[in-house]
């Protein structure tokens, strides 16, 4: 077949034009040629395109009538199930699983379809994969399981569902000892961090192989509200942590969306030592978006004394 003919087949598949596709593949020679055809550097087949775009009838035609292998893989070893799961195509996921697709097939870097589904906010697909036996504890080459990925994306419904189905799934670390709490904190996923602190037994100031804690991840990436939550729930944020943060390049003057600085957060938590350290390091008091200073948030005598000493 000529190159433009191949392009037509890809276009028809991506658009879900089943009748036109059938006409193009009416001859046995055309059907045979397309059966083993991989396109471009990605090495996708027509079945990959159909699964990715959610064209169930096209996918069924390619499998049942053209005879394409349900486990065909592209250059990244992605199967059609990876494509359907990663794009939240629930009907295609159900069809593939019901017709023998391996639920825990692996693409490059050892990613399963469940992991791919967790990169999206697609509870239906995740639930279907789990109901068909997907392993939520399986780890990829970096030591991440699906829960790490869900915590990075930050959908509380997905995180709660995974905890309901597999209550111990949070007990995991990557190869560099990073927990799902590190991941959620780093990406500023407030709701997920709250769920993890309430429902999971993370140890205060758990550090990865580089000595970085979830609190440090949060503040270093400008997620002050998440840092405050960790400060209140786990008592993190002492002077040693602040010094380490700054040595790692954290911005002392970073503020959250409400204009609050780390000094505001120390005052909200009534942490006198943290406030004293921040002031000594040169972080001046300032107003947040509502016009409130950190000093105005100080209530306890010890932290009020810190601000009074600073004025003296």
């Amino acid at each position: 077949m000529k190159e433009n003919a191949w392009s037509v087949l890809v276009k028809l598949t991506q658009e879900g034009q089943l009748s036109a596709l059938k006409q193009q593949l009416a001859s046995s020679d055309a059907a045979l040629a397309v059966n083993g055809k991989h396109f471009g550097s990605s090495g996708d087949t027509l079945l990959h395109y159909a699964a990715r775009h959610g064209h169930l009838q096209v996918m069924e035609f390619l499998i049942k009538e053209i005879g394409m292998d349900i486990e065909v893989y592209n250059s990244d070893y992605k199967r059609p199930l990876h494509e359907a799961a990663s794009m939240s195509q629930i009907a295609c996921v159900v069809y593939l699983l019901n017709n023998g697709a391996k639920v825990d097939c692996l693409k490059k870097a050892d990613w399963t379809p469940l992991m791919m589904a967790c990169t999206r906010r697609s509870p239906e697909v995740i639930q279907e994969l789990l109901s068909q036996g997907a392993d939520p504890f399986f780890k990829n080459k970096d030591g991440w399981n699906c829960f790490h990925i869900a915590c990075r994306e930050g959908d509380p419904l997905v995180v709660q569902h995974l905890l309901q189905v597999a209550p111990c799934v949070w007990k995991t670390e990557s190869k560099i000892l990073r927990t799902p709490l590190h991941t959620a904190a780093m990406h500023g996923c407030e709701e997920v961090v709250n769920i993890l602190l309430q429902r999971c037994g993370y140890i205060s100031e758990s550090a990865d192989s580089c000595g970085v804690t979830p609190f440090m991840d949060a503040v270093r990436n400008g997620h002050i509200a998440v840092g405050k939550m960790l400060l209140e729930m786990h008592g993190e944020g002492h002077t040693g942590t602040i010094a380490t943060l700054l040595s790692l390049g954290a911005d002392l003057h970073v503020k959250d969306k409400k204009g609050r600085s780390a000094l505001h957060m120390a005052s909200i938590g009534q942490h006198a030592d943290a406030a004293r350290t921040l002031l000594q390091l040169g972080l001046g008091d300032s107003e947040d978006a509502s016009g409130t200073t950190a000093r105005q948030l100080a209530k306890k005598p010890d932290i009020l004394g810190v601000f009074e000493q600073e004025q003296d």
Side-chain angles (χ1 to χ4, degrees):
M1 295 179 69
K2 294 182 179 179
E3 193 61 37
N4 63 335
W6 291 124
S7 298
V8 169
L9 290 176
V10 171
K11 185 173 185 293
L12 293 175
T13 302
Q14 291 175 328
E15 294 177 353
Q17 297 188 42
L18 180 58
S19 297
L21 183 64
K22 283 184 175 181
Q23 290 178 359
Q24 292 289 325
L25 297 177
S27 72
S28 58
D29 288 343
L32 184 62
V34 81
N35 199 334
K37 176 66 176 175
H38 294 259
F39 298 89
S41 58
S42 67
D44 287 330
T45 66
L46 294 186
L47 191 54
H48 285 88
Y49 292 126
R52 183 183 305 151
H53 291 276
H55 299 310
L56 179 58
Q57 290 183 321
V58 172
M59 199 171 67
E60 185 175 13
F61 163 71
L62 293 171
I63 293 170
K64 298 297 184 183
E65 297 187 38
I66 301 300
M68 295 194 72
D69 182 2
I70 205 167
E71 295 292 345
V72 65
Y73 54 84
N74 66 10
S75 300
D76 288 328
Y77 295 95
K78 282 185 183 178
R79 274 67 169 178
L81 184 58
H82 283 105
E83 296 288 357
S86 68
M87 298 305 291
S88 305
Q89 304 293 1
I90 182 63
C92 292
V93 168
V94 171
Y95 178 85
L96 289 166
L97 290 171
N98 288 343
N99 283 273
K102 295 177 182 177
V103 70
D104 282 332
C105 53
L106 301 179
K107 77 171 194 71
K108 274 187 179 178
D110 296 338
W111 280 59
T112 66
L114 178 59
M115 292 175 182
M116 300 295 291
C118 286
T119 65
R120 302 274 180 170
R121 300 189 175 196
S122 50
E124 277 187 318
V125 172
I126 292 167
Q127 186 172 357
E128 179 64 24
L129 290 164
L130 288 168
S131 71
Q132 295 276 4
D135 182 2
F137 297 97
F138 187 88
K139 292 186 176 185
N140 65 17
K141 74 174 185 65
D142 296 315
W144 280 36
N145 66 12
C146 66
F147 196 64
H148 276 99
I149 298 160
C151 289
R152 181 189 68 187
E153 298 305 314
D155 187 337
L157 292 178
V158 171
V159 169
Q160 288 174 329
H161 182 69
L162 288 171
L163 285 171
Q164 182 178 355
V165 172
C168 295
V169 72
W170 64 271
K171 295 180 180 180
T172 183
E173 294 177 338
S174 71
K175 288 187 175 179
I176 57 171
L177 307 182
R178 292 183 62 77
T179 67
L181 183 59
H182 279 91
T183 304
M186 178 180 180
H187 291 274
C189 303
E190 292 182 42
E191 289 184 82
V192 170
V193 169
N194 188 50
I195 292 169
L196 298 181
L197 292 174
Q198 296 289 343
R199 296 186 58 177
C200 306
Y202 288 108
I203 300 172
S204 178
E205 297 190 3
S206 58
D208 65 14
S209 60
C210 296
V212 177
T213 68
F215 174 82
M216 294 164 69
D217 264 333
V219 177
R220 184 167 56 179
N221 287 280
H223 306 305
I224 303 299
V226 173
K228 171 181 175 288
M229 196 182 304
L230 290 162
L231 193 69
E232 291 176 343
M233 296 291 293
H234 276 175
E236 292 194 50
H238 52 67
T239 56
T241 301
I242 292 170
T244 304
L245 271 171
L246 295 174
S247 73
L248 291 170
D251 183 2
L252 180 65
H253 303 280
V254 68
K255 293 186 176 182
D256 67 7
K257 293 179 181 179
K258 296 182 179 180
R260 299 175 299 186
S261 69
L263 189 58
H264 282 90
M265 295 309 173
S267 293
I268 291 171
Q270 307 304 307
H271 295 285
D273 287 343
R276 182 179 297 106
T277 300
L278 290 166
L279 289 166
Q280 289 172 348
L281 288 169
L283 179 58
D285 198 1
S286 61
E287 294 182 348
D288 63 14
S290 68
T292 303
T293 64
R295 190 184 192 287
Q296 290 172 318
L297 297 169
K299 305 297 181 186
K300 292 184 177 181
D302 55 348
I303 193 168
L304 283 168
V306 170
F307 284 99
E308 289 170 2
Q309 289 172 5
E310 183 68 16
Q311 285 183 333
D312 294 341

